[in-house]
Amino acid sequence: MAAYTFLSSGAGQGMSLKNHAASAKARIWSVDSSVTIYYNSGYAGPCDKLHTNERPAAYQLSNTYNNNASVLFRSAKVSQGCVNFS
């Protein structure tokens, strides 16, 4: 599978998203939904979570800053000890 890359202009343009993202922004489809960014592939390891409002953002990721290997979209809130961003 081909890697996802940064499309916008800036220092990261054209680079792979895996292990290069310093921030994240999501569009949440319901109140109980969340997006979790994991340090390791396979949805494991330390994590950062975006939830609560329609367009949560983490302008500087905490646990996964430039070390993010997987992202999971959930339709339910799950507590995993992630750093939470709203």
Side-chain angles (χ1 to χ4, degrees):
M1 175 170 41
Y4 291 101
T5 58
F6 288 106
L7 299 176
S8 61
S9 62
Q13 186 176 26
M15 293 180 69
S16 168
L17 286 171
K18 185 174 181 177
N19 294 325
H20 290 109
S23 62
K25 194 171 189 179
R27 180 165 217 184
I28 303 296
W29 57 93
S30 75
V31 173
D32 292 328
S33 298
S34 65
V35 177
T36 308
I37 304 153
Y38 292 93
Y39 189 91
N40 299 318
S41 295
Y43 317 118
C47 54
D48 292 313
K49 185 178 291 186
L50 303 173
H51 66 91
T52 306
N53 62 39
E54 185 180 341
R55 293 178 190 254
Y59 294 106
Q60 183 169 338
L61 293 169
S62 182
N63 287 334
T64 62
Y65 183 87
N66 285 340
N67 285 298
N68 32 39
S70 56
V71 175
L72 184 61
F73 294 83
R74 288 200 171 104
S75 59
K77 289 184 180 177
V78 177
S79 177
Q80 298 176 280
C82 300
V83 172
N84 290 306
F85 294 93
S86 330

